Amino acid sequence: SDSGSDSDSDSSLSDSELQEAFSRGALKPGLNVVLEERPKRRNDTNGLKQCLSEFRQQLAWVERLDVTMGPVADPVSQSASNKDAVDPENDFQREMSFYRQAQAAVLEALPRLRKLQVPTRRPDDYFAEMAKSDQQMQKIRQKLKSKQEAMERSEKAKQLRAMRKYGKKVQTEILQRRQKEKKNMLNAVKKYQKGLSDKLDFLDEDQTSSQGNKKGSSSQRIKKGPNAKRRYKNQKFGFGGKKKGSKWNTKESFNDVSSFRSKVAHNKGPGKAGKGGKKALNKRPGKRARQKMKSRAR
């Protein structure tokens, strides 16, 4: 009870008395809290008008360009939105109210500017200085260029991976097809060895499949015929048949003199000069003459 009476008496004391009590140790820390009185709010209209008159400059409107307007009428509801209709916590409604108020100010200010012959559009040769320096813009260009190149490299790598994947798939299919063909041929060979089949069609299939792999599809293969070795022998030795008397004359060949050349027959052609009509051509010596020449050279 004593402490409560002391605290009530201390709260009614002045600042000097409180300081003396604190120096004596009569006040304990934490029991006394200084509460500052909040200033009362008041709407001093006269004071505000006086301040406004002090810094207001009496200039023409074209120098001030101040427009105070309410929001323009909403084209949907055909009525101007009042303050109560806008929810300040709704971002969309708040921004739309600002937009419509600015729109109303523009609709009011543009006709007045045109009436005063003040240009409101930027000229065609207007040059605006960049907010950033050329060095900074060059860095930005280099950054954008590097990003674009990185994207192109990534796209190329993606395409290469897709192509490799497709190539592996095709290679796997080819290997599987070859293994299947090999297995079928081995099975056919086993059947033939065991006497279960007397057909040798698998050999022809193997040959045609190998030719098809080399030349392409079966439609592009040449018709089956003699191989190169057989064609060469046919060209060299003929195609068989009668050989004896094949160079004998017949009645038709005897009567045919179209290939006769008198100059060639009588040694009168170019390079056939010499005594007694002898041939001036350098002929190869006979076998015995060549042997004698070899013996002399030894």
Side-chain angles (χ1 to χ4, degrees):
S1 63
D2 295 338
S3 62
S5 61
D6 291 338
S7 62
D8 294 338
S9 62
D10 291 339
S11 61
S12 61
L13 297 176
S14 62
D15 293 339
S16 60
E17 292 175 347
L18 287 173
Q19 290 176 2
E20 291 176 1
F22 182 77
S23 62
R24 291 195 308 268
L27 298 177
K28 296 181 180 180
L31 296 178
N32 297 278
V33 179
V34 180
L35 297 176
E36 296 181 358
E37 184 180 359
R38 295 180 180 178
K40 295 181 180 180
R41 296 180 180 178
R42 53 183 180 176
N43 187 12
D44 190 1
T45 308
N46 296 328
L48 292 174
K49 288 182 179 180
Q50 183 180 358
C51 292
L52 180 61
S53 62
E54 289 177 359
F55 65 78
R56 174 181 288 176
Q57 297 179 359
Q58 300 296 331
L59 300 174
W61 179 82
V62 71
E63 298 292 339
R64 294 181 286 109
L65 297 177
D66 55 341
V67 179
T68 304
M69 296 290 295
V72 73
D74 190 358
V76 178
S77 60
Q78 296 296 331
S79 62
S81 58
N82 51 15
K83 297 178 182 178
D84 298 334
V86 178
D87 185 9
E89 300 298 332
N90 191 338
D91 296 340
F92 180 76
Q93 290 185 2
R94 188 174 63 252
E95 294 299 328
M96 282 301 297
S97 65
F98 294 157
Y99 169 75
R100 295 193 183 285
Q101 189 172 4
Q103 189 178 9
V106 170
L107 293 175
E108 175 68 20
L110 274 179
R112 296 174 67 177
L113 289 172
R114 290 171 183 170
K115 187 176 181 181
L116 295 173
Q117 297 182 356
V118 176
T120 57
R121 295 181 64 85
R122 182 177 296 175
D124 297 335
D125 57 348
Y126 180 80
F127 176 76
E129 187 177 357
M130 299 293 291
K132 296 182 180 180
S133 60
D134 294 341
Q135 291 81 4
Q136 183 68 18
M137 295 302 297
Q138 190 68 20
K139 290 181 180 179
I140 294 173
R141 291 192 191 95
Q142 293 294 337
K143 189 70 175 178
L144 294 175
K145 187 177 179 181
S146 62
K147 285 185 178 180
Q148 185 177 2
E149 291 177 353
M151 291 177 64
E152 291 178 356
R153 288 195 298 269
S154 176
E155 190 67 23
K156 287 182 180 179
K158 190 183 296 183
Q159 292 178 359
L160 286 175
R161 286 195 296 270
M163 291 173 65
R164 288 173 184 169
K165 188 175 180 181
Y166 179 73
K168 289 181 179 179
K169 182 180 178 182
V170 172
Q171 187 177 7
T172 305
E173 291 178 355
I174 292 174
L175 292 176
Q176 290 178 355
R177 188 175 70 250
R178 288 179 180 174
Q179 291 177 359
K180 186 176 179 182
E181 292 175 355
K182 184 177 180 181
K183 185 177 179 181
N184 295 335
M185 188 183 72
L186 291 176
N187 292 334
V189 170
K190 289 180 181 179
K191 288 182 180 179
Y192 181 77
Q193 290 176 349
K194 292 179 180 179
L196 300 177
S197 175
D198 56 348
K199 296 181 180 179
L200 296 176
D201 297 339
F202 58 89
L203 296 178
D204 297 336
E205 292 176 359
D206 183 29
Q207 186 176 3
T208 53
S209 62
S210 62
Q211 291 178 357
N213 293 331
K214 290 180 181 179
K215 297 183 180 180
S217 61
S218 59
S219 61
Q220 295 178 353
R221 292 199 301 267
I222 303 174
K223 292 183 179 180
K224 193 173 180 180
N227 54 13
K229 187 176 180 180
R230 182 71 265 170
R231 289 197 299 270
Y232 174 74
K233 287 186 177 181
N234 291 340
Q235 183 180 2
K236 185 177 182 181
F237 302 107
F239 296 88
K242 184 180 179 181
K243 299 290 192 300
K244 190 176 181 180
S246 61
K247 295 185 179 180
W248 288 358
N249 287 337
T250 60
K251 186 177 181 181
E252 290 79 9
S253 64
F254 178 78
N255 294 327
D256 185 12
V257 293
S258 59
S259 61
F260 177 74
R261 299 288 184 271
S262 60
K263 292 183 179 180
V264 177
H266 300 292
N267 295 328
K268 294 182 179 180
K272 299 293 178 72
K275 295 181 179 180
K278 294 182 178 180
K279 296 182 179 179
L281 296 176
N282 294 325
K283 284 190 175 183
R284 183 185 180 190
K287 185 175 182 180
R288 291 183 180 180
R290 293 198 304 271
Q291 289 177 354
K292 289 180 180 180
M293 291 170 64
K294 288 182 180 179
S295 62
R296 290 175 186 173
R298 291 176 185 175

